[in-house]
Amino acid sequence: SFSLNQISDRFPSEGFEARVAFWRAVFTQYGKQDVLLHDKNDLRLIYDVVRFTRGTGPGKSETRRQWRILRIRKKQLAAAMDSLRIRGLDSKKMDKTQQRILTVIQSAELEPSPLLFKKLRNNIHTQRGIKEKFQKGIIRSGIYLREMENTFDRHGLPKELALLPHVESSFNFASRSRRGAAGIWQFMRRTARAYNLRVNRSIDQRLDPLAATDAAARYLKDSYRKLGNWPLAITSYNHGQTGIARAKRRHGSNLLTIISKYQSRSFKYASKNFYVEFLAAVEVSKNYRTYWGPL
């Protein structure tokens, strides 16, 4: 079986273990009907998993219903933390939610305190599982992956970078985001044109998996040259080269330090987790038979 230690010289995972484990579970253990309620900064803290049964109504109305339930559950968790902060840790007065919160915190070897509860109650986040989506991405990747790896090899780059679309698009060449990104590499129009992809009324080469892969290889090569290591270069694919260069100037080249210290309105959950999602995607995709057998 494949281990991330095999590529640690290029893609270090030390210090990211808890984050990688979280995303491995999101990719393989939890499906689209499962939503994790967890701390957005410390991914060891998973307070609850809300499991929905498949809705029978229209898609939008079912989505709204689920988000109403999740908002209520988040408020319940925050109220439970407020109660623990104010009333203390008397086990006789705790309800099941408070007991669960305390168990999760202690299992992460954190010391419960009013200050900790005050901080955690503002960090409650939801993450939906994508087990089915990731599995489909593994199947789709078989169409393109060998040629994509050859493209990265021609550019003198690690072949594992060809697995980044598992994070971006699940290898769906027709994927489009609300912000206007498109293709398996989710290029914005401006960036695509900067890397010589044709995007006009007649043609959109962002939707060509192999042309877009060549552009992505050149983008990542530029990022690595400017930023100096792969954790930063890969994070820049989500946050932008300029933003990560600014973070590096302020806090140095260690991504763990940047995640813990860098303050920016745009450097949030998605950017902080982009590199570890890549690590988890590499591990899962190379060990997919362990999770799903032959595909």
Side-chain angles (χ1 to χ4, degrees):
S1 64
F2 173 83
S3 167
L4 289 175
N5 290 332
Q6 295 172 227
I7 55 171
S8 61
D9 58 328
R10 303 181 297 282
F11 305 110
S13 57
E14 186 177 358
F16 295 107
E17 292 88 352
R19 289 177 179 268
V20 172
F22 176 87
W23 287 104
R24 186 193 305 119
V26 169
F27 293 160
T28 65
Q29 183 178 343
Y30 298 107
K32 60 185 177 182
Q33 299 300 117
D34 303 324
V35 179
L36 286 73
L37 290 155
H38 67 97
D39 188 89
K40 67 181 180 181
N41 293 325
D42 190 340
L43 299 186
R44 297 174 299 172
L45 305 180
I46 301 175
Y47 305 116
D48 197 5
V49 179
V50 180
R51 290 188 165 92
F52 295 103
T53 56
R54 294 184 181 276
T56 56
K60 288 185 178 179
S61 107
E62 174 61 18
T63 299
R64 286 194 294 268
R65 182 186 76 85
Q66 290 187 11
W67 281 117
R68 281 196 298 270
I69 292 170
L70 292 171
R71 280 197 297 270
I72 292 169
R73 188 66 184 124
K74 286 175 72 174
K75 288 180 180 179
Q76 290 172 340
L77 284 168
M81 290 180 186
D82 286 338
S83 180
L84 287 168
R85 175 174 60 86
I86 295 168
R87 299 178 183 177
L89 305 178
D90 186 345
S91 59
K92 295 181 180 178
K93 297 180 180 179
M94 287 187 201
D95 61 22
K96 289 184 179 180
T97 299
Q98 292 165 343
Q99 290 173 352
R100 168 66 178 165
I101 291 170
L102 188 60
T103 299
V104 169
I105 288 172
Q106 290 175 334
S107 67
E109 299 183 350
L110 297 177
E111 187 64 35
S113 70
L115 186 62
L116 179 66
F117 290 124
K118 183 178 181 180
K119 181 177 77 169
L120 295 182
R121 60 105 54 219
N122 296 317
N123 287 346
I124 301 169
H125 187 267
T126 58
Q127 175 62 53
R128 191 174 292 271
I130 61 167
K131 176 175 61 176
E132 303 90 348
K133 184 178 180 181
F134 201 97
Q135 184 179 4
K136 289 178 181 177
I138 292 284
I139 294 169
R140 278 193 293 259
S141 71
I143 305 170
Y144 316 114
L145 191 55
R146 183 169 295 179
E147 183 56 36
M148 291 171 64
E149 290 176 339
N150 290 340
T151 297
F152 278 93
D153 195 42
R154 285 196 300 271
H155 283 278
L157 302 176
K159 291 182 179 181
E160 290 84 6
L161 293 169
L163 298 169
L164 194 56
H166 281 302
V167 180
E168 284 287 352
S169 64
S170 295
F171 281 85
N172 180 2
F173 77 88
S175 178
R176 293 183 183 272
S177 77
R178 293 178 182 177
R179 296 180 57 204
I184 67 170
W185 287 98
Q186 289 292 281
F187 273 112
M188 298 294 287
R189 287 175 178 265
R190 182 176 179 180
T191 307
R193 288 169 177 151
Y195 285 88
N196 300 324
L197 292 178
R198 293 173 61 194
V199 183
N200 54 47
R201 292 183 180 180
S202 302
I203 190 169
D204 188 344
Q205 282 192 305
R206 295 178 299 171
L207 306 182
D208 178 332
L210 300 183
T213 294
D214 188 74
R218 285 184 281 116
Y219 177 94
L220 288 164
K221 194 173 188 176
D222 282 351
S223 294
Y224 182 79
R225 178 175 52 82
K226 293 173 183 177
L227 299 169
N229 64 49
W230 283 119
L232 296 188
I234 289 170
T235 304
S236 81
Y237 201 88
N238 176 269
H239 190 66
Q241 293 173 351
T242 301
I244 296 300
R246 185 184 302 115
K248 181 182 177 182
R249 286 196 299 272
R250 293 180 184 178
H251 301 292
S253 60
N254 188 311
L255 180 59
L256 279 168
T257 303
I258 289 172
I259 288 172
S260 65
K261 293 185 177 181
Y262 182 48
Q263 299 293 319
S264 169
R265 286 182 295 179
S266 58
F267 191 71
K268 295 183 179 180
Y269 179 77
S271 296
K272 289 179 179 181
N273 283 282
F274 196 75
Y275 177 65
V276 290
E277 284 187 71
F278 165 73
L279 291 180
V282 171
E283 184 179 11
V284 171
S285 63
K286 288 184 176 292
N287 293 326
Y288 73 84
R289 292 177 183 84
T290 302
Y291 303 104
W292 298 296
L295 297 177

